[in-house]
Amino acid sequence: MIFPLLLLPVAVWGYCDPEFTLVGEKCLYFETHYKMTFEEAGEYCNEMRGASLVAIDSARQFKSIVDYIYSEGITSNSYWVDGNDIKTEGVWITSSGKEFPMGTPFWGGFLTYQEPNGEPSENCAHLFKSEKFYINDAKCNGTYAFICEQAELPPMKITNEAPEVNSCPMHYVAIGGKCLSFLTYEETTWDEARLRCRETDGDLATVNDIELLREINLYLKVQELTDHDFWLGASDAAVEGQWLWTNGSTVPMGTPFWGLNIGQEPDGAAEENYMALLSDGYFYFRDVEGSLALHPLCQLTE
């Protein structure tokens, strides 16, 4: 087909080609003017010197993309990304055949279900503006804006890996560069949970890194703990709407940390001032009443 715009090859300068912007660790082009089907968007990207729809391959990259959309004010569009289950229903892959990330913190998670939920009729992935730019499955013949990824990058590589933890004390496990302890043998209020953590030289966990949230989710699945609910060390009890960790640092807000309900959490106003990871909420951040009986998720005090 003939596209409205065809970009011809030019010399690479700096880290990204001129049409692309460094977002996270990828050079990306956000097409916001033309709306195309999933297939057309892929072809359009390919005509930009062999680019492709962006492949989201890490939680940190996903967060960088969502942050960029909000910072640039380009929030009136949903965006195609490189993921589909066209060949085999329920098996999501990229155009190159690589596994597409599933679950939290990528796909929209509500209190009663998590995307993808379109079954055979919705086979292509996009960042859905109505779901705060979490990934959603959509009909491939729908027309949306899209994000292209530069085909080849110069050898510069940005790394921001979590520090390694050589060993953790008894009852703690190394996850995402931290020593964490999941106290599944008791359920307590938020205040009592802090006391339990302090008894083992810790405090309720602080989760500022989106990769850590993903690692926690993966651990819960492997250990078959996805039917448990856990306290985290954050609250806005002191000042409504000002969410702080127990160490006084600011809690990250929005996608991809906080889950969805009618809108986006936190949504409990003055009645719900404490943070939890809930099984029914797919282990995104949720605000709940501090009097609930949940399991403490402790972090070794550094």
Side-chain angles (χ1 to χ4, degrees):
M1 67 177 291
I2 298 175
F3 295 113
L5 174 65
L6 178 61
L7 301 173
L8 299 177
V10 296
V12 174
W13 63 275
Y15 187 68
C16 297
D17 287 354
E19 303 86 1
F20 294 80
T21 300
L22 182 62
V23 179
E25 297 184 5
K26 294 178 181 286
C27 294
L28 304 181
Y29 172 81
F30 291 73
E31 178 51 67
T32 60
H33 298 290
Y34 304 116
K35 311 297 190 299
M36 300 182 185
T37 67
F38 181 80
E39 181 179 3
E40 291 169 346
E43 292 175 0
Y44 184 97
C45 290
N46 188 252
E47 293 196 13
M48 299 175 68
R49 294 175 299 285
S52 61
L53 284 173
V54 62
I56 295 174
D57 46 23
S58 73
R60 192 171 291 116
Q61 182 63 50
F62 175 49
K63 181 180 185 300
S64 295
I65 292 172
V66 174
D67 288 348
Y68 182 84
I69 289 172
Y70 279 108
S71 68
E72 295 298 309
I74 49 176
T75 57
S76 61
N77 300 291
S78 296
Y79 295 88
W80 288 124
V81 295
D82 187 6
N84 73 86
D85 70 342
I86 296 172
K87 184 176 181 181
T88 303
E89 177 62 29
V91 179
W92 286 80
I93 58 174
T94 67
S95 58
S96 63
K98 294 182 179 180
E99 183 178 354
F100 188 82
M102 303 301 295
T104 305
F106 301 98
W107 293 78
F110 293 81
L111 288 173
T112 56
Y113 72 93
Q114 185 168 35
E115 303 287 1
N117 68 340
E119 300 180 348
S121 64
E122 299 180 350
N123 302 112
C124 294
H126 72 163
L127 307 185
F128 192 19
K129 66 178 182 180
S130 296
E131 293 184 2
K132 305 299 181 181
F133 298 101
Y134 279 110
I135 300 172
N136 173 59
D137 54 337
K139 294 181 179 179
C140 301
N141 60 1
T143 55
Y144 300 103
F146 51 93
I147 308 170
C148 301
E149 176 182 344
Q150 187 174 314
E152 295 183 1
L153 298 180
M156 181 191 297
K157 177 68 174 178
I158 299 175
T159 58
N160 187 20
E161 302 297 331
E164 292 187 4
V165 174
N166 294 324
S167 64
C168 293
M170 186 178 296
H171 305 305
Y172 283 88
V173 293
I175 300 176
K178 296 182 179 294
C179 290
L180 302 180
S181 180
F182 299 76
L183 303 188
T184 56
Y185 54 83
E186 65 176 311
E187 295 174 291
T188 69
T189 66
W190 189 86
D191 287 327
E192 292 170 343
R194 288 200 71 187
L195 294 176
R196 297 295 179 272
C197 292
R198 287 171 176 172
E199 290 171 357
T200 58
D201 299 320
D203 203 341
L204 287 173
T206 297
V207 183
N208 275 323
D209 183 359
I210 195 60
E211 291 291 352
L212 176 58
L213 182 60
R214 185 189 189 194
E215 291 297 323
I216 289 172
N217 272 266
L218 294 175
Y219 179 84
L220 293 175
K221 290 180 180 178
V222 170
Q223 298 298 319
E224 298 182 350
L225 297 175
T226 54
D227 58 345
H228 292 64
D229 302 319
F230 295 92
W231 288 120
L232 290 180
S235 168
D236 72 339
V239 179
E240 176 60 30
Q242 182 179 330
W243 282 86
L244 300 174
W245 298 108
T246 54
N247 63 12
S249 62
T250 303
V251 172
M253 304 304 291
T255 305
F257 287 95
W258 291 82
L260 303 173
N261 193 0
I262 297 174
Q264 187 165 35
E265 304 274 9
D267 62 0
E271 290 74 31
E272 299 179 348
N273 296 317
Y274 298 89
M275 183 187 291
L277 299 179
L278 303 180
S279 173
D280 288 343
Y282 296 91
F283 300 106
Y284 284 104
F285 291 179
R286 305 278 175 183
D287 58 329
V288 299
E289 296 179 7
S291 60
L292 295 181
L294 309 180
H295 300 292
L297 173 48
C298 304
Q299 174 183 321
L300 188 68
T301 303
E302 299 177 356

